[in-house]
Amino acid sequence: DIQMTQSPSSLSASVGDRVTITCRASQSINNYLNWYQQKPGKAPNLLIYAASTLQTAVPSRFSGSGSGTDFTLSISSLQPEDFATYFCQQGYSTPLTFGGGTKVEIK
Amino acid sequence: QVQLQESGPGLVKPSETLSLTCVVSGVSTSRYYWNWIRQSPGKGLEWIGYIYYSGITNYNPSLKSRATISLDMSKNQFSLKLSSVTAADTAVYYCAREVRPLEWWGWFDPWGQGARVTVSA
């Protein structure tokens, strides 16, 4: 199985801060990497697919980059509605696997 | 607007079979891949498996052949059965559509709201 490791597991930030989350795959997954946002009590919601393509209606302050084994999700200017948990997911091979999540909290 | 809605018992006894159904609206189940994913505090998000309209299925080997996913296109819904459950199967179960621009790769969008299932006597 491909292991997905996210860091940090949690972070505290203020509104307006730039935030970067890292996801590392245990082997190369090309750009078959997706990012999801999950708010408490809700299902995950797709933010970015193919490592860097924003899903429709996702604000442009979100961006993704990377290829191979190392990927990043960035939020250029954190907004109150962005406080949530973020997960990466590899689509390179089954079993499909997710990172452990990064919880973004208010400082 | 594509929507998915899970339903099923919230409590299942150990050794019994967990059964969940996902009703799909806004799109036909004769397209796309239809997945089940679960989330628990201990294991995080875990992919269970998918079914394609052709009947092709693919499961996570970690479930040791306990999972069965079926599709009823006439009702536009798909289902999950997980046999011989234990407390470790306690989780929130999500159904999700997988969009695949390429045959071998895609992403989950949208997800159902989730069904909380507890395994306990």
Side-chain angles (χ1 to χ4, degrees):
Chain A
D1 299 5
I2 297 176
Q3 308 303 316
M4 305 301 293
T5 303
Q6 279 183 245
S7 60
S9 57
S10 65
L11 64 90
S12 294
S14 301
V15 172
D17 284 354
R18 179 178 181 84
V19 167
T20 298
I21 298 168
T22 297
C23 179
R24 175 165 288 175
S26 60
Q27 67 181 74
S28 177
I29 58 171
N30 293 335
N31 69 332
Y32 300 146
L33 189 283
N34 307 316
W35 289 98
Y36 301 87
Q37 177 193 65
Q38 185 178 34
K39 295 183 177 179
K42 301 293 187 181
N45 183 53
L46 178 70
L47 287 178
I48 289 171
Y49 59 90
S52 61
T53 303
L54 255 60
Q55 171 66 329
T56 304
V58 172
S60 59
R61 62 181 179 272
F62 290 92
S63 64
S65 65
S67 185
T69 60
D70 294 320
F71 302 86
T72 59
L73 170 69
S74 296
I75 310 172
S76 61
S77 178
L78 201 63
Q79 298 302 300
E81 60 268 30
D82 301 336
F83 291 95
T85 301
Y86 295 85
F87 296 93
C88 59
Q89 174 246 324
Q90 65 82 15
Y92 182 80
S93 66
T94 58
L96 305 175
T97 50
F98 294 83
T102 296
K103 187 174 184 179
V104 177
E105 299 175 299
I106 301 172
K107 181 183 285 186
Chain B
Q1 181 185 4
V2 179
Q3 292 185 313
L4 288 76
Q5 175 80 50
E6 305 91 346
S7 64
L11 181 63
V12 182
K13 290 182 168 55
S15 79
E16 294 191 345
T17 296
L18 177 160
S19 295
L20 294 171
T21 295
C22 180
V23 176
V24 179
S25 59
V27 70
S28 172
T29 52
S30 63
R31 292 184 62 191
Y32 303 105
Y33 288 73
W34 302 98
N35 288 255
W36 287 98
I37 299 158
R38 67 184 183 180
Q39 184 174 32
S40 62
K43 287 189 175 181
L45 285 162
E46 181 180 27
W47 174 73
I48 296 171
Y50 68 64
I51 188 165
Y52 189 47
Y53 79 95
S54 63
I56 292 172
T57 55
N58 192 335
Y59 300 106
N60 194 326
S62 69
L63 295 169
K64 296 181 173 60
S65 303
R66 295 190 295 126
T68 303
I69 299 174
S70 58
L71 177 63
D72 186 339
M73 286 186 281
S74 68
K75 294 182 179 179
N76 221 41
Q77 65 185 39
F78 61 109
S79 299
L80 169 70
K81 291 189 185 300
L82 186 65
S83 64
S84 304
V85 298
T86 70
D89 294 310
T90 294
V92 176
Y93 285 76
Y94 295 101
C95 56
R97 178 184 67 168
E98 186 179 2
V99 177
R100 290 194 176 195
L102 301 173
E103 183 180 338
W104 61 89
W105 167 72
W107 51 83
F108 301 119
D109 180 61
W111 300 51
Q113 89 285 356
R116 185 172 299 275
V117 178
T118 300
V119 178
S120 175

